[in-house]
Amino acid sequence: MIERLDKVLAHGGFGTRREVKKLIHSGRVAVNENVARDESVKIDSNVDAVFIDGKKLALTQFVYVMMNKPKDYVCANRDGLHETVFSLLDEKYRTPFFENSLHLVGRLDRDTEGLLVFTTDGMLTHYVTSPRTHVGKTYFVKLAQKVDKKMQLTYAAQFNEGIHILPEGNERACDCKPAALMWHDEDAAETDECKLIIYEGKFHQVKRMFAAIGNEVVYLKRIAIGGLLLDESLEVGQCRALMENEVAALKKIETPVVHTQ
């Protein structure tokens, strides 16, 4: 991908276009080991090497960030009433470029915790969020009422068939696609914890599905998107860039990436 030098550096989080221009004019930036003082120089990220103060930069076309979302934060760029997840991002992601290009790959409710992915890659976002691609979103669920062995089988069968959910707010009643329900402790006589994999993202979908069969979700956390698992070493509210194998896991359906400590 060929871009102007100042745009490449702004994409990399080195400041606004004006700040990047000053950086270039100071002589601290080199392209292929030659000092570059012209911000309009064209860079091919697949061929050229860019250095700042002698340190080579990793040039990437897109940015991918994982966050362990806390409750009480909304998935929006701006909100007049509540803190947004964008306010938790590292300072390097707060340049004008990222403000215009960085977006969420799917959302979570304000009281839901867990895996969020931010990216500048619109094609990935479309792939992950489109119901046609069948990318599963996995949630850990804690219910208000414990469920015995017999009802566990009934619940699983109902989710597997697809559940009709009632209207909520401005959202109409609708039929949800089949989902996979797995109980957390299969040996226990009864349990209130399970994992649920859904393949779409309707408003309050998980909560409405359990409400439709007579139970209530009291805690909800997304733990995976497709083959990408939430890195549990991330503290709530923290974020980090995705590794290459994690990006690959998002781009195809495969066994979830397991993080080792």
Side-chain angles (χ1 to χ4, degrees):
M1 183 176 183
I2 299 176
E3 292 183 301
R4 285 170 53 114
L5 177 58
D6 55 352
K7 189 174 182 181
V8 169
L9 295 180
H11 288 195
F14 290 93
T16 64
R17 292 288 279 271
R18 178 178 296 179
E19 291 168 341
V20 162
K21 188 179 295 185
K22 289 181 180 179
L23 182 68
I24 295 169
H25 291 174
S26 71
R28 295 170 56 194
V29 181
V31 177
N32 301 325
E33 300 184 356
N34 297 314
V35 174
R37 296 182 183 272
D38 183 356
E39 65 274 8
S40 66
V41 169
K42 296 295 193 298
I43 302 298
D44 184 341
S45 57
N46 295 317
V47 176
D48 296 313
V50 178
F51 302 80
I52 294 182
D53 296 332
K55 182 178 180 180
K56 186 177 180 180
L57 307 184
L59 301 180
T60 55
Q61 182 177 354
F62 295 115
V63 170
Y64 307 92
V65 179
M66 171 194 296
M67 177 181 288
N68 187 358
K69 177 191 175 294
K71 62 183 300 187
D72 296 327
Y73 282 76
V74 296
C75 290
N77 292 78
R78 297 178 179 83
D79 188 279
L81 298 176
H82 307 286
E83 291 280 357
T84 83
V85 292
F86 283 85
S87 69
L88 297 171
L89 289 170
D90 294 343
E91 194 66 33
K92 65 182 178 181
Y93 298 120
R94 300 190 187 181
T95 69
F97 166 74
F98 287 124
E99 189 173 292
N100 294 327
S101 303
L102 195 65
H103 59 271
L104 287 163
V105 183
R107 298 170 180 267
L108 291 175
D109 297 336
R110 184 165 67 91
D111 58 351
T112 301
E113 300 179 4
L115 177 60
L116 279 179
V117 175
F118 300 76
T119 188
T120 55
D121 186 347
M123 290 186 67
L124 173 70
T125 302
H126 176 73
Y127 170 77
V128 172
T129 57
S130 173
R132 294 181 179 180
T133 52
H134 208 65
V135 176
K137 291 81 177 175
T138 307
Y139 292 84
F140 170 78
V141 184
K142 188 172 180 63
L143 300 169
Q145 303 171 34
K146 289 190 174 184
V147 183
D148 63 27
K149 287 287 188 181
K150 182 178 179 180
M151 285 304 297
Q152 287 175 29
L153 294 174
T154 300
Y155 275 34
Q158 288 177 297
F159 276 95
N160 189 55
E161 292 173 1
I163 291 178
H164 179 78
I165 56 177
L166 299 176
E168 181 177 336
N170 295 325
E171 300 294 319
R172 298 178 180 178
C174 63
D175 294 319
C176 295
K177 291 185 176 182
L181 179 65
M182 298 148 287
W183 293 98
H184 189 65
D185 187 351
E186 295 181 351
D187 296 326
E190 57 180 15
T191 183
D192 56 4
E193 296 181 350
C194 60
K195 291 180 182 178
L196 180 69
I197 305 176
I198 61 174
Y199 298 93
E200 52 196 339
K202 301 183 186 301
F203 179 73
H204 289 176
Q205 181 175 339
V206 175
K207 299 170 187 174
R208 292 164 72 190
M209 291 172 86
F210 277 102
I213 58 175
N215 214 323
E216 179 187 359
V217 174
V218 295
Y219 177 76
L220 188 60
K221 179 179 182 178
R222 185 159 65 193
I223 57 176
I225 300 175
L228 175 66
L229 276 183
L230 172 65
D231 184 349
E232 294 290 355
S233 70
L234 276 180
E235 297 289 339
V236 174
Q238 287 186 337
C239 62
R240 66 161 175 81
L242 291 185
M243 297 179 287
E244 287 186 13
N245 67 321
E246 293 174 322
V247 176
L250 274 177
K251 291 184 176 181
K252 61 181 180 180
I253 300 173
E254 57 181 33
T255 302
V257 174
V258 177
H259 302 283
T260 57
Q261 299 297 321

